[in-house]
Amino acid sequence: MPRSLDGLLMAPVQDQDPGQVGSATRFRYHESEGQVWATYQGGDIARGYLVGTREEDRVDFRYVQLTVDGATASGHCLSRIVELPDGRVRLEETWQWESRPGSGTSVVEEIRPESGRPMSMVRE
């Protein structure tokens, strides 16, 4: 089973449509006893939260977010946790909006200081 998500800082590997998470968005994950939650912000996202459960390498969560232009949105996501060859964690996600039409897939990966990517912290 892949390691815990607790304390990981993660970012999408590519941008999506405007008003959604993108490469400038940062997620701070927490995990305890099968529960997973995170805060996120950056790019078009002023503030976002997710909460769900983990069973082995699967995470099932709901998310809600506020964009910088004041719009809110919520949805559901199923993620598969993958350990990369360099030891970092990747989440391969399939998501669907519940507050508006739309669905898709995305990938977020763990950010480490040595990766050279900015270490923007998400406020709790």
Side-chain angles (χ1 to χ4, degrees):
M1 184 166 80
R3 66 186 171 96
S4 174
L5 301 176
D6 195 50
L8 298 186
L9 181 65
M10 302 184 81
V13 298
Q14 67 183 33
D15 287 326
Q16 296 182 28
D17 294 331
Q20 297 184 33
V21 300
S23 57
T25 308
R26 298 293 180 264
F27 294 78
R28 174 63 71 187
Y29 276 83
H30 304 279
E31 180 179 348
S32 178
E33 299 178 3
Q35 298 177 7
V36 174
W37 65 100
T39 56
Y40 61 99
Q41 69 182 55
D44 289 339
I45 307 301
R47 184 171 308 275
Y49 301 93
L50 66 85
V51 62
T53 56
R54 175 181 177 170
E55 189 171 320
E56 297 183 13
D57 69 342
R58 302 286 179 185
V59 180
D60 182 344
F61 65 85
R62 293 280 189 309
Y63 56 90
V64 62
Q65 63 189 35
L66 172 68
T67 59
V68 294
D69 65 2
T72 61
S74 61
H76 178 239
C77 184
L78 297 172
S79 298
R80 185 171 74 96
I81 304 168
V82 176
E83 277 203 56
L84 298 171
D86 64 6
R88 292 179 305 125
V89 171
R90 167 186 279 178
L91 298 179
E92 297 174 346
E93 304 178 323
T94 301
W95 51 267
Q96 181 168 0
W97 293 108
E98 294 180 327
S99 62
R100 64 185 190 203
S103 62
T105 60
S106 56
V107 175
V108 297
E109 292 183 353
E110 179 181 357
I111 300 172
R112 291 184 176 165
E114 66 274 11
S115 71
R117 294 175 73 180
M119 291 295 294
S120 173
M121 298 300 291
V122 175
R123 284 175 256 150
E124 302 286 329

